[in-house]
Amino acid sequence: MDASTAAAALAYRVANSVLGWALSLYFRRIEVRDRGRLPASGPVLIAANHPAAFTDVLVLGTRLPRRIHFLAMSGIFKPWIRGFALRLVGALPVYRSEDHPGQTFRNDATFHACHEILDRGGAVLIFPEGTSETDRRLARMKTGAARLALAQEQRPGQQGRLTLLPAGLHFEDRTGYQSDVVLSLGEPIILTPYRTLAGSDPRAAVVWLTAALQASLEELFLHIPEPEVTRLVHDLEHLYLDELKAGGDPRHSLELARRVSDCVEYFRRTDPERVHRVWHRIAHYRRKLEALKLEDAALGEIERSPKRAFPTARHVVLGVLGLLPALLGGLIHYLPYRACGTIARHLAPQPTRVTSVRIGAGLMVLPLSYGVLALLLKANTGLPPRDIALALAAAVALGLFALGYFRWLGRQRARIRLALLAVNHRRLVARVRAERRELMRIFDQARAQFSAATGDGSAGQAGPG
């Protein structure tokens, strides 16, 4: 291994560790499904949907146990220092005709580099949509992934070696802090029939392989073909999935959300007026919650388990004991937190970039703030370096504690407000609870009708319309 290769490998490991830690802090949970479908060795071309720009690369790169080289738009390689860093960790530029007219010939070098990586048994990540736009719909895919896979199959000694692996990214909220991410690996696409077809009709082989890849990816995340119903499905997810889980449905939340989407689409075709009425009822219910400053999750807890819905003496004791260290951690990190928010607002106007900008800002601002804190401690206390290091470690621990504490406190605050309203405005709360119960009844009825109409018993457990 030469010096440049060793430096690149070291840079990748360091970046992978740091960014993996940052993702663990930013997201509540990142789940990888069917991880075993990724071969431990041998050439792999990973084709993924692209809902959240560079965050997609971070999730795939840090959660899959292979070193991954990825294709990215050439524009992000400027300025040169960022381009140098990206190339060091395995990025390869793609030149789009709309961005660089007359420069697409430079993609030949990029594809050649991909083939060399795959020849050596490496892994390459490509986003066939080309750009990040939506998180609930797969855009019409470009043919680059299919062309690269078929060209690799035709290289000397490479036939039958390549694994073409679809990967679906599902963000609960791609702009939200402490949301969940599900990375689902699909069944590898068998390339033999497309390779055979390419011998007589290369264009048809590319078209059919692209279509097969698109169909496979659409099954791996919550794909909603019609953009106008995205908001309705999103509302139904938040209102109904906890009910299904509480009712004992064993399926994964992603499968349940997909059934919700299928059910909405079914009634949208067969009874659009019904969908319209439900849409309005949900909007009316949400407006009431906003006016009362209530959360549906708290109301749901009351309906499912009244004894657990309100804060107990144990909650009060925990809240009091944790308040002081949480306030201290929050005070230490208040300015860095505000700075990261300001940076994100100015640099990430598009929702696709919010998360990656926030994570990047945190990786820059937090070390800087700890450095300033160390200088202040040295200048004002005269502590030795060892004690300053311990103080910084304590500051980090307090910051992590504050994150968890204030999330927990937010949930308790919703419970407390509901408890106070239930005492002071009992009839008002009773009416909202009755409205929620009626919505659940409507969803359950639609779920049963959808199950009967489609002949799918599993659908009867999971999809309101």
PDB file of all heavy atoms in Angstrom, residues 351-382:
ATOM      1  N   PRO A 351     -34.942  21.876   2.218  1.00  0.00           N
ATOM      2  CA  PRO A 351     -35.070  20.847   3.258  1.00  0.00           C
ATOM      3  C   PRO A 351     -34.113  19.683   3.075  1.00  0.00           C
ATOM      4  O   PRO A 351     -33.761  19.014   4.053  1.00  0.00           O
ATOM      5  CB  PRO A 351     -36.539  20.396   3.136  1.00  0.00           C
ATOM      6  CG  PRO A 351     -36.984  20.850   1.786  1.00  0.00           C
ATOM      7  CD  PRO A 351     -36.203  22.073   1.475  1.00  0.00           C
ATOM      8  N   THR A 352     -33.666  19.436   1.839  1.00  0.00           N
ATOM      9  CA  THR A 352     -32.761  18.315   1.607  1.00  0.00           C
ATOM     10  C   THR A 352     -31.407  18.511   2.288  1.00  0.00           C
ATOM     11  O   THR A 352     -30.711  17.541   2.578  1.00  0.00           O
ATOM     12  CB  THR A 352     -32.522  18.122   0.094  1.00  0.00           C
ATOM     13  OG1 THR A 352     -32.025  19.343  -0.464  1.00  0.00           O
ATOM     14  CG2 THR A 352     -33.805  17.740  -0.608  1.00  0.00           C
ATOM     15  N   ARG A 353     -31.044  19.761   2.572  1.00  0.00           N
ATOM     16  CA  ARG A 353     -29.702  20.040   3.087  1.00  0.00           C
ATOM     17  C   ARG A 353     -29.673  20.370   4.574  1.00  0.00           C
ATOM     18  O   ARG A 353     -28.599  20.510   5.153  1.00  0.00           O
ATOM     19  CB  ARG A 353     -29.086  21.216   2.309  1.00  0.00           C
ATOM     20  CG  ARG A 353     -28.893  20.965   0.824  1.00  0.00           C
ATOM     21  CD  ARG A 353     -28.256  22.172   0.166  1.00  0.00           C
ATOM     22  NE  ARG A 353     -26.995  22.528   0.799  1.00  0.00           N
ATOM     23  CZ  ARG A 353     -26.416  23.723   0.713  1.00  0.00           C
ATOM     24  NH1 ARG A 353     -27.022  24.688   0.047  1.00  0.00           N
ATOM     25  NH2 ARG A 353     -25.264  23.960   1.305  1.00  0.00           N
ATOM     26  N   VAL A 354     -30.830  20.493   5.205  1.00  0.00           N
ATOM     27  CA  VAL A 354     -30.880  20.979   6.586  1.00  0.00           C
ATOM     28  C   VAL A 354     -30.043  20.113   7.513  1.00  0.00           C
ATOM     29  O   VAL A 354     -29.197  20.602   8.282  1.00  0.00           O
ATOM     30  CB  VAL A 354     -32.343  21.047   7.073  1.00  0.00           C
ATOM     31  CG1 VAL A 354     -32.392  21.263   8.581  1.00  0.00           C
ATOM     32  CG2 VAL A 354     -33.085  22.168   6.357  1.00  0.00           C
ATOM     33  N   THR A 355     -30.253  18.814   7.472  1.00  0.00           N
ATOM     34  CA  THR A 355     -29.585  17.928   8.423  1.00  0.00           C
ATOM     35  C   THR A 355     -28.079  17.926   8.244  1.00  0.00           C
ATOM     36  O   THR A 355     -27.320  18.024   9.217  1.00  0.00           O
ATOM     37  CB  THR A 355     -30.140  16.500   8.284  1.00  0.00           C
ATOM     38  OG1 THR A 355     -31.514  16.500   8.682  1.00  0.00           O
ATOM     39  CG2 THR A 355     -29.380  15.526   9.169  1.00  0.00           C
ATOM     40  N   SER A 356     -27.614  17.813   7.000  1.00  0.00           N
ATOM     41  CA  SER A 356     -26.169  17.756   6.774  1.00  0.00           C
ATOM     42  C   SER A 356     -25.496  19.059   7.185  1.00  0.00           C
ATOM     43  O   SER A 356     -24.386  19.052   7.745  1.00  0.00           O
ATOM     44  CB  SER A 356     -25.860  17.439   5.302  1.00  0.00           C
ATOM     45  OG  SER A 356     -26.446  18.389   4.441  1.00  0.00           O
ATOM     46  N   VAL A 357     -26.163  20.201   6.950  1.00  0.00           N
ATOM     47  CA  VAL A 357     -25.590  21.484   7.364  1.00  0.00           C
ATOM     48  C   VAL A 357     -25.541  21.592   8.888  1.00  0.00           C
ATOM     49  O   VAL A 357     -24.551  22.054   9.458  1.00  0.00           O
ATOM     50  CB  VAL A 357     -26.378  22.658   6.752  1.00  0.00           C
ATOM     51  CG1 VAL A 357     -25.943  23.983   7.362  1.00  0.00           C
ATOM     52  CG2 VAL A 357     -26.172  22.695   5.242  1.00  0.00           C
ATOM     53  N   ARG A 358     -26.591  21.147   9.551  1.00  0.00           N
ATOM     54  CA  ARG A 358     -26.595  21.191  11.011  1.00  0.00           C
ATOM     55  C   ARG A 358     -25.482  20.321  11.594  1.00  0.00           C
ATOM     56  O   ARG A 358     -24.790  20.719  12.536  1.00  0.00           O
ATOM     57  CB  ARG A 358     -27.951  20.725  11.544  1.00  0.00           C
ATOM     58  CG  ARG A 358     -29.053  21.765  11.435  1.00  0.00           C
ATOM     59  CD  ARG A 358     -30.362  21.203  11.946  1.00  0.00           C
ATOM     60  NE  ARG A 358     -31.433  22.206  11.909  1.00  0.00           N
ATOM     61  CZ  ARG A 358     -32.718  21.912  12.061  1.00  0.00           C
ATOM     62  NH1 ARG A 358     -33.078  20.654  12.267  1.00  0.00           N
ATOM     63  NH2 ARG A 358     -33.627  22.860  12.030  1.00  0.00           N
ATOM     64  N   ILE A 359     -25.325  19.127  11.047  1.00  0.00           N
ATOM     65  CA  ILE A 359     -24.279  18.232  11.541  1.00  0.00           C
ATOM     66  C   ILE A 359     -22.904  18.839  11.278  1.00  0.00           C
ATOM     67  O   ILE A 359     -22.026  18.851  12.146  1.00  0.00           O
ATOM     68  CB  ILE A 359     -24.402  16.843  10.889  1.00  0.00           C
ATOM     69  CG1 ILE A 359     -25.673  16.140  11.394  1.00  0.00           C
ATOM     70  CG2 ILE A 359     -23.170  15.985  11.190  1.00  0.00           C
ATOM     71  CD1 ILE A 359     -25.988  14.855  10.685  1.00  0.00           C
ATOM     72  N   GLY A 360     -22.707  19.366  10.067  1.00  0.00           N
ATOM     73  CA  GLY A 360     -21.428  19.997   9.746  1.00  0.00           C
ATOM     74  C   GLY A 360     -21.137  21.190  10.633  1.00  0.00           C
ATOM     75  O   GLY A 360     -20.008  21.383  11.094  1.00  0.00           O
ATOM     76  N   ALA A 361     -22.176  22.005  10.879  1.00  0.00           N
ATOM     77  CA  ALA A 361     -21.992  23.162  11.757  1.00  0.00           C
ATOM     78  C   ALA A 361     -21.613  22.720  13.161  1.00  0.00           C
ATOM     79  O   ALA A 361     -20.734  23.306  13.804  1.00  0.00           O
ATOM     80  CB  ALA A 361     -23.275  23.999  11.793  1.00  0.00           C
ATOM     81  N   GLY A 362     -22.255  21.678  13.644  1.00  0.00           N
ATOM     82  CA  GLY A 362     -21.931  21.181  14.976  1.00  0.00           C
ATOM     83  C   GLY A 362     -20.502  20.692  15.080  1.00  0.00           C
ATOM     84  O   GLY A 362     -19.814  20.940  16.081  1.00  0.00           O
ATOM     85  N   LEU A 363     -20.023  20.026  14.026  1.00  0.00           N
ATOM     86  CA  LEU A 363     -18.652  19.513  14.038  1.00  0.00           C
ATOM     87  C   LEU A 363     -17.619  20.636  14.002  1.00  0.00           C
ATOM     88  O   LEU A 363     -16.475  20.452  14.423  1.00  0.00           O
ATOM     89  CB  LEU A 363     -18.438  18.569  12.848  1.00  0.00           C
ATOM     90  CG  LEU A 363     -19.165  17.222  12.939  1.00  0.00           C
ATOM     91  CD1 LEU A 363     -19.014  16.450  11.637  1.00  0.00           C
ATOM     92  CD2 LEU A 363     -18.629  16.401  14.103  1.00  0.00           C
ATOM     93  N   MET A 364     -18.014  21.797  13.492  1.00  0.00           N
ATOM     94  CA  MET A 364     -17.096  22.940  13.493  1.00  0.00           C
ATOM     95  C   MET A 364     -17.234  23.783  14.762  1.00  0.00           C
ATOM     96  O   MET A 364     -16.246  24.165  15.390  1.00  0.00           O
ATOM     97  CB  MET A 364     -17.358  23.818  12.262  1.00  0.00           C
ATOM     98  CG  MET A 364     -16.961  23.194  10.946  1.00  0.00           C
ATOM     99  SD  MET A 364     -17.145  24.346   9.557  1.00  0.00           S
ATOM    100  CE  MET A 364     -18.906  24.668   9.590  1.00  0.00           C
ATOM    101  N   VAL A 365     -18.474  24.061  15.137  1.00  0.00           N
ATOM    102  CA  VAL A 365     -18.717  25.000  16.236  1.00  0.00           C
ATOM    103  C   VAL A 365     -18.381  24.394  17.594  1.00  0.00           C
ATOM    104  O   VAL A 365     -17.774  25.060  18.446  1.00  0.00           O
ATOM    105  CB  VAL A 365     -20.187  25.474  16.208  1.00  0.00           C
ATOM    106  CG1 VAL A 365     -20.529  26.275  17.460  1.00  0.00           C
ATOM    107  CG2 VAL A 365     -20.447  26.318  14.959  1.00  0.00           C
ATOM    108  N   LEU A 366     -18.755  23.141  17.823  1.00  0.00           N
ATOM    109  CA  LEU A 366     -18.535  22.557  19.148  1.00  0.00           C
ATOM    110  C   LEU A 366     -17.050  22.451  19.522  1.00  0.00           C
ATOM    111  O   LEU A 366     -16.664  22.870  20.617  1.00  0.00           O
ATOM    112  CB  LEU A 366     -19.216  21.194  19.241  1.00  0.00           C
ATOM    113  CG  LEU A 366     -20.738  21.246  19.433  1.00  0.00           C
ATOM    114  CD1 LEU A 366     -21.334  19.852  19.357  1.00  0.00           C
ATOM    115  CD2 LEU A 366     -21.095  21.905  20.747  1.00  0.00           C
ATOM    116  N   PRO A 367     -16.176  21.915  18.646  1.00  0.00           N
ATOM    117  CA  PRO A 367     -14.755  21.908  19.021  1.00  0.00           C
ATOM    118  C   PRO A 367     -14.205  23.305  19.278  1.00  0.00           C
ATOM    119  O   PRO A 367     -13.390  23.503  20.194  1.00  0.00           O
ATOM    120  CB  PRO A 367     -14.076  21.254  17.810  1.00  0.00           C
ATOM    121  CG  PRO A 367     -15.140  20.425  17.180  1.00  0.00           C
ATOM    122  CD  PRO A 367     -16.403  21.197  17.374  1.00  0.00           C
ATOM    123  N   LEU A 368     -14.650  24.272  18.460  1.00  0.00           N
ATOM    124  CA  LEU A 368     -14.207  25.650  18.662  1.00  0.00           C
ATOM    125  C   LEU A 368     -14.667  26.169  20.023  1.00  0.00           C
ATOM    126  O   LEU A 368     -13.898  26.811  20.756  1.00  0.00           O
ATOM    127  CB  LEU A 368     -14.762  26.538  17.546  1.00  0.00           C
ATOM    128  CG  LEU A 368     -14.375  28.026  17.609  1.00  0.00           C
ATOM    129  CD1 LEU A 368     -12.861  28.193  17.508  1.00  0.00           C
ATOM    130  CD2 LEU A 368     -15.077  28.797  16.495  1.00  0.00           C
ATOM    131  N   SER A 369     -15.908  25.877  20.391  1.00  0.00           N
ATOM    132  CA  SER A 369     -16.420  26.369  21.671  1.00  0.00           C
ATOM    133  C   SER A 369     -15.697  25.705  22.840  1.00  0.00           C
ATOM    134  O   SER A 369     -15.422  26.362  23.856  1.00  0.00           O
ATOM    135  CB  SER A 369     -17.930  26.116  21.769  1.00  0.00           C
ATOM    136  OG  SER A 369     -18.214  24.730  21.790  1.00  0.00           O
ATOM    137  N   TYR A 370     -15.365  24.416  22.701  1.00  0.00           N
ATOM    138  CA  TYR A 370     -14.609  23.757  23.766  1.00  0.00           C
ATOM    139  C   TYR A 370     -13.196  24.324  23.874  1.00  0.00           C
ATOM    140  O   TYR A 370     -12.632  24.434  24.973  1.00  0.00           O
ATOM    141  CB  TYR A 370     -14.550  22.245  23.535  1.00  0.00           C
ATOM    142  CG  TYR A 370     -15.889  21.558  23.695  1.00  0.00           C
ATOM    143  CD1 TYR A 370     -16.303  20.573  22.812  1.00  0.00           C
ATOM    144  CD2 TYR A 370     -16.739  21.890  24.738  1.00  0.00           C
ATOM    145  CE1 TYR A 370     -17.528  19.940  22.956  1.00  0.00           C
ATOM    146  CE2 TYR A 370     -17.975  21.268  24.888  1.00  0.00           C
ATOM    147  CZ  TYR A 370     -18.360  20.295  23.994  1.00  0.00           C
ATOM    148  OH  TYR A 370     -19.577  19.684  24.137  1.00  0.00           O
ATOM    149  N   GLY A 371     -12.625  24.697  22.732  1.00  0.00           N
ATOM    150  CA  GLY A 371     -11.310  25.333  22.762  1.00  0.00           C
ATOM    151  C   GLY A 371     -11.349  26.667  23.480  1.00  0.00           C
ATOM    152  O   GLY A 371     -10.459  26.986  24.295  1.00  0.00           O
ATOM    153  N   VAL A 372     -12.383  27.454  23.210  1.00  0.00           N
ATOM    154  CA  VAL A 372     -12.542  28.745  23.896  1.00  0.00           C
ATOM    155  C   VAL A 372     -12.738  28.524  25.392  1.00  0.00           C
ATOM    156  O   VAL A 372     -12.167  29.253  26.230  1.00  0.00           O
ATOM    157  CB  VAL A 372     -13.728  29.529  23.294  1.00  0.00           C
ATOM    158  CG1 VAL A 372     -14.051  30.751  24.144  1.00  0.00           C
ATOM    159  CG2 VAL A 372     -13.427  29.925  21.858  1.00  0.00           C
ATOM    160  N   LEU A 373     -13.544  27.518  25.742  1.00  0.00           N
ATOM    161  CA  LEU A 373     -13.776  27.216  27.149  1.00  0.00           C
ATOM    162  C   LEU A 373     -12.467  26.829  27.850  1.00  0.00           C
ATOM    163  O   LEU A 373     -12.203  27.257  28.985  1.00  0.00           O
ATOM    164  CB  LEU A 373     -14.802  26.090  27.283  1.00  0.00           C
ATOM    165  CG  LEU A 373     -15.152  25.635  28.706  1.00  0.00           C
ATOM    166  CD1 LEU A 373     -15.714  26.800  29.520  1.00  0.00           C
ATOM    167  CD2 LEU A 373     -16.154  24.486  28.663  1.00  0.00           C
ATOM    168  N   ALA A 374     -11.635  26.047  27.170  1.00  0.00           N
ATOM    169  CA  ALA A 374     -10.345  25.647  27.753  1.00  0.00           C
ATOM    170  C   ALA A 374      -9.457  26.864  27.987  1.00  0.00           C
ATOM    171  O   ALA A 374      -8.805  26.982  29.038  1.00  0.00           O
ATOM    172  CB  ALA A 374      -9.650  24.643  26.837  1.00  0.00           C
ATOM    173  N   LEU A 375      -9.429  27.784  27.023  1.00  0.00           N
ATOM    174  CA  LEU A 375      -8.625  28.997  27.187  1.00  0.00           C
ATOM    175  C   LEU A 375      -9.127  29.854  28.348  1.00  0.00           C
ATOM    176  O   LEU A 375      -8.331  30.422  29.114  1.00  0.00           O
ATOM    177  CB  LEU A 375      -8.638  29.801  25.884  1.00  0.00           C
ATOM    178  CG  LEU A 375      -7.900  29.170  24.693  1.00  0.00           C
ATOM    179  CD1 LEU A 375      -8.104  30.006  23.437  1.00  0.00           C
ATOM    180  CD2 LEU A 375      -6.416  29.025  25.004  1.00  0.00           C
ATOM    181  N   LEU A 376     -10.463  29.959  28.471  1.00  0.00           N
ATOM    182  CA  LEU A 376     -11.022  30.738  29.561  1.00  0.00           C
ATOM    183  C   LEU A 376     -10.690  30.114  30.921  1.00  0.00           C
ATOM    184  O   LEU A 376     -10.365  30.827  31.884  1.00  0.00           O
ATOM    185  CB  LEU A 376     -12.539  30.847  29.401  1.00  0.00           C
ATOM    186  CG  LEU A 376     -13.033  31.732  28.246  1.00  0.00           C
ATOM    187  CD1 LEU A 376     -14.549  31.630  28.096  1.00  0.00           C
ATOM    188  CD2 LEU A 376     -12.624  33.184  28.471  1.00  0.00           C
ATOM    189  N   LEU A 377     -10.774  28.793  30.990  1.00  0.00           N
ATOM    190  CA  LEU A 377     -10.437  28.119  32.244  1.00  0.00           C
ATOM    191  C   LEU A 377      -8.975  28.329  32.608  1.00  0.00           C
ATOM    192  O   LEU A 377      -8.637  28.599  33.769  1.00  0.00           O
ATOM    193  CB  LEU A 377     -10.742  26.617  32.133  1.00  0.00           C
ATOM    194  CG  LEU A 377     -12.224  26.225  32.147  1.00  0.00           C
ATOM    195  CD1 LEU A 377     -12.382  24.743  31.831  1.00  0.00           C
ATOM    196  CD2 LEU A 377     -12.847  26.549  33.495  1.00  0.00           C
ATOM    197  N   LYS A 378      -8.106  28.239  31.614  1.00  0.00           N
ATOM    198  CA  LYS A 378      -6.670  28.414  31.875  1.00  0.00           C
ATOM    199  C   LYS A 378      -6.361  29.843  32.307  1.00  0.00           C
ATOM    200  O   LYS A 378      -5.574  30.084  33.239  1.00  0.00           O
ATOM    201  CB  LYS A 378      -5.869  28.053  30.623  1.00  0.00           C
ATOM    202  CG  LYS A 378      -4.360  28.124  30.836  1.00  0.00           C
ATOM    203  CD  LYS A 378      -3.621  27.587  29.632  1.00  0.00           C
ATOM    204  CE  LYS A 378      -2.119  27.676  29.837  1.00  0.00           C
ATOM    205  NZ  LYS A 378      -1.658  26.925  31.035  1.00  0.00           N
ATOM    206  N   ALA A 379      -7.009  30.802  31.642  1.00  0.00           N
ATOM    207  CA  ALA A 379      -6.715  32.203  31.937  1.00  0.00           C
ATOM    208  C   ALA A 379      -7.287  32.650  33.281  1.00  0.00           C
ATOM    209  O   ALA A 379      -6.702  33.501  33.960  1.00  0.00           O
ATOM    210  CB  ALA A 379      -7.270  33.085  30.816  1.00  0.00           C
ATOM    211  N   ASN A 380      -8.411  32.070  33.677  1.00  0.00           N
ATOM    212  CA  ASN A 380      -9.100  32.568  34.868  1.00  0.00           C
ATOM    213  C   ASN A 380      -8.955  31.687  36.099  1.00  0.00           C
ATOM    214  O   ASN A 380      -9.261  32.133  37.219  1.00  0.00           O
ATOM    215  CB  ASN A 380     -10.591  32.749  34.567  1.00  0.00           C
ATOM    216  CG  ASN A 380     -10.850  33.856  33.573  1.00  0.00           C
ATOM    217  OD1 ASN A 380     -10.768  35.029  33.907  1.00  0.00           O
ATOM    218  ND2 ASN A 380     -11.137  33.484  32.333  1.00  0.00           N
ATOM    219  N   THR A 381      -8.518  30.461  35.927  1.00  0.00           N
ATOM    220  CA  THR A 381      -8.410  29.565  37.085  1.00  0.00           C
ATOM    221  C   THR A 381      -7.000  29.064  37.323  1.00  0.00           C
ATOM    222  O   THR A 381      -6.687  28.623  38.428  1.00  0.00           O
ATOM    223  CB  THR A 381      -9.334  28.348  36.907  1.00  0.00           C
ATOM    224  OG1 THR A 381      -8.870  27.554  35.796  1.00  0.00           O
ATOM    225  CG2 THR A 381     -10.768  28.789  36.661  1.00  0.00           C
ATOM    226  N   GLY A 382      -6.172  29.069  36.273  1.00  0.00           N
ATOM    227  CA  GLY A 382      -4.824  28.554  36.411  1.00  0.00           C
ATOM    228  C   GLY A 382      -4.761  27.053  36.632  1.00  0.00           C
ATOM    229  O   GLY A 382      -3.764  26.525  37.150  1.00  0.00           O
TER     230      GLY A 382
END
